Amino acid sequence: MKITIVQNEIDFVAGMLTMLGIRPDHCLVIADAPPETRIFRYDWPVDCVNGDRPLLERLFGLFNSDEKVLPTMDPRRKICDAFREAGMRSLSVGDVVWLDDRGWRCAPTGWWPVK
């Protein structure tokens, strides 16, 4: 499965507003420059036999954990290290995760499909 994680600061700010109970479409966000978008892609030999949401929760836990918690020999450590080396921050509200061609936005609780 191809997994793509997309992060930019405008989506992050919008996600934080949502957590505060403020709808992002009720705000005007002004920036001096366009937001930098960071993208992390990798192939993961996993099949979503139980649906996308359990996998999304696993990814959320993986990319929010302190990579030092994982033993050096743990295969997940390698992907966590690559994620951080790519300049990615912790997976947060507002970020989008693509599982092949299905997009999901991280919500304050759970995941919302991207249309």
Side-chain angles (χ1 to χ4, degrees):
M1 170 175 295
K2 292 188 184 315
I3 295 178
T4 305
I5 299 171
V6 181
Q7 297 178 334
N8 73 52
E9 295 314 310
I10 296 296
D11 287 339
F12 180 72
V13 169
M16 292 300 105
L17 292 173
T18 303
M19 289 183 68
L20 295 171
I22 302 167
R23 289 182 32 192
D25 58 333
H26 288 175
C27 299
L28 176 63
V29 179
I30 298 173
D32 293 333
E36 177 187 351
T37 299
R38 290 175 302 283
I39 298 173
F40 182 75
R41 290 186 177 104
Y42 68 100
D43 289 321
W44 197 5
V46 67
D47 197 5
C48 282
V49 292
N50 294 323
D52 289 348
R53 283 187 168 90
L55 176 57
L56 291 164
E57 291 303 322
R58 284 178 59 196
L59 292 172
F60 185 83
L62 183 64
F63 294 123
N64 270 298
S65 66
D66 182 352
E67 64 275 6
K68 294 178 182 72
V69 171
L70 296 172
T72 305
M73 299 307 292
D74 190 316
R76 296 173 298 170
R77 174 70 184 263
K78 191 176 197 177
I79 197 68
C80 283
D81 290 344
F83 184 75
R84 300 284 188 228
E85 288 167 8
M88 306 298 279
R89 58 172 161 65
S90 293
L91 191 58
S92 302
V93 171
D95 293 343
V96 175
V97 175
W98 289 89
L99 305 176
D100 289 331
D101 60 349
R102 300 174 310 281
W104 295 90
R105 182 173 304 279
C106 185
T109 56
W111 297 85
W112 296 336
V114 172
K115 297 182 184 198

